[in-house]
Amino acid sequence: MRARHDVRPESDLPVLKPFRAAPIAPSGLAAPALLSAGLVAGAGILFAASLAVAQVTAPAARDGAVTILLRWAPLIFQGFLFNLLISFLSMVLGTAVGVLFGIGQVSPSAALRKPAWAATQFFRNAPWLVLLFYAMFLLPFELKLGPVTLAFPAWVKAIIGLALPVAANVSEIVRGGIRSIPSGQWESAEALAFTRRQTMWMIILPQAFKRMIPPWMNLYAILTMATTLISVVGIQDGLTVTRAALVAESRPELMLPMYLLLLLMFFAYCYPIARLTMALERRFNVKG
């Protein structure tokens, strides 16, 4: 027998296209590094330019802009440190309350779930400044518990006022982290005769924890920048000291460099937190 060879028409043959090398994409780490360097350099150039303009336009018979800025910089920095203290304490209090609210939101008991959901939605959608005003004017200056008298200074009220929206946002972070764990984890734990409490604390929360870290850090950065709201209610922070310096010196040309100095302090503190948050999101594969 003679083998038959099917010959395909020339039009049916595949057309070979010339190979073209695809351009090599820049490294994923190079772009953020260049962007960070550009932001820092731009902020420094803007501050130096504003200081130079203030130095040139300063009256001849009075201190220069650099001298005045060096005189007030330590006090502004102390006020900035007070902002950081308020942000840290508010975050601690808000996180402690928010974790309880977040776990309450996923509780099978309606008696816990509904109040936790209502409190979360109320404080999460209320303006931070309004909550701060309520805390300042509704909380007493001191609380007597029998023979013990607890003082409530203004900065303690400010911590409570800022902790309320933080607790609501942390509650949503915890709820979202718990809900992101596949339901198969719950079913497997139930098959192993774990109670719901054991499943939550030993299986679900350890897995959800790494997913909660990036949004929690982002919330802390937002809170740190929002602490300047306490200056509105008369608490001495970095912004209040900066305004006092401008009033004391009566030099309008110093407004831009002084406020930029305070801005750079917040930027130097918050920007590394933002970069670390992005790195953790990539590491833990957290999608916003």
Side-chain angles (χ1 to χ4, degrees):
M1 296 178 64
R2 185 167 53 185
R4 297 178 57 186
H5 298 278
D6 295 332
V7 179
R8 298 174 61 185
E10 185 177 353
S11 60
D12 293 340
L13 295 177
V15 179
L16 299 178
K17 296 182 179 180
F19 174 75
R20 294 181 180 178
I24 300 176
S27 172
L29 298 178
L34 292 175
L35 179 61
S36 302
L39 285 174
V40 174
I45 292 173
L46 181 61
F47 175 71
S50 65
L51 188 58
V53 171
Q55 184 73 19
V56 171
T57 57
R62 304 183 66 178
D63 293 337
V66 177
T67 303
I68 296 176
L69 201 63
L70 291 176
R71 181 191 307 157
W72 285 97
L75 294 177
I76 295 176
F77 183 69
Q78 290 179 9
F80 168 70
L81 292 180
F82 186 72
N83 285 96
L84 298 187
L85 176 63
I86 294 294
S87 68
F88 176 78
L89 295 177
S90 298
M91 196 68 192
V92 170
L93 179 60
T95 300
V97 177
V99 169
L100 298 178
F101 281 179
I103 296 176
Q105 285 197 88
V106 297
S107 173
S109 174
L112 294 177
R113 185 177 63 253
K114 292 183 178 180
W117 178 87
T120 298
Q121 296 304 317
F122 177 80
F123 291 114
R124 183 169 179 246
N125 296 286
W128 289 34
L129 184 58
V130 174
L131 294 176
L132 185 60
F133 268 109
Y134 270 107
M136 294 296 297
F137 296 113
L138 292 183
L139 292 177
F141 290 99
E142 59 182 21
L143 181 63
K144 292 184 178 181
L145 298 175
V148 180
T149 301
L150 299 178
F152 279 91
W155 63 272
V156 174
K157 296 181 182 181
I159 291 172
I160 297 174
L162 292 176
L164 293 175
V166 170
N169 284 275
V170 170
S171 175
E172 280 296 290
I173 292 173
V174 173
R175 183 198 63 81
I178 293 175
R179 292 297 189 191
S180 67
I181 303 302
S183 59
Q185 298 290 321
W186 292 93
E187 296 169 358
S188 300
E190 185 178 359
L192 294 174
F194 277 74
T195 64
R196 181 176 178 84
R197 179 178 298 180
Q198 290 174 331
T199 303
M200 177 67 72
W201 291 102
M202 300 175 60
I203 298 176
I204 302 301
L205 285 180
Q207 295 182 70
F209 179 70
K210 65 180 182 180
R211 305 185 183 188
M212 301 175 191
I213 294 178
W216 182 86
M217 293 177 60
N218 187 52
L219 176 62
Y220 174 68
I222 295 174
L223 170 64
T224 301
M225 292 180 287
T227 54
T228 53
L229 293 174
I230 65 177
S231 63
V232 180
V233 292
I235 300 177
Q236 298 290 326
D237 70 327
L239 185 60
T240 307
V241 176
T242 303
R243 286 202 300 259
L246 291 171
V247 172
E249 297 294 340
S250 299
R251 300 279 292 275
E253 72 275 6
L254 291 174
M255 179 177 295
L256 187 58
M258 277 199 172
Y259 279 119
L260 276 176
L261 176 62
L262 181 62
L263 184 148
L264 289 176
M265 291 179 184
F266 278 97
F267 177 81
Y269 184 78
C270 294
Y271 186 67
I273 297 176
R275 298 299 309 163
L276 180 58
T277 301
M278 296 174 64
L280 291 176
E281 287 177 350
R282 290 192 298 266
R283 179 178 178 182
F284 297 146
N285 195 24
V286 177
K287 300 183 183 298

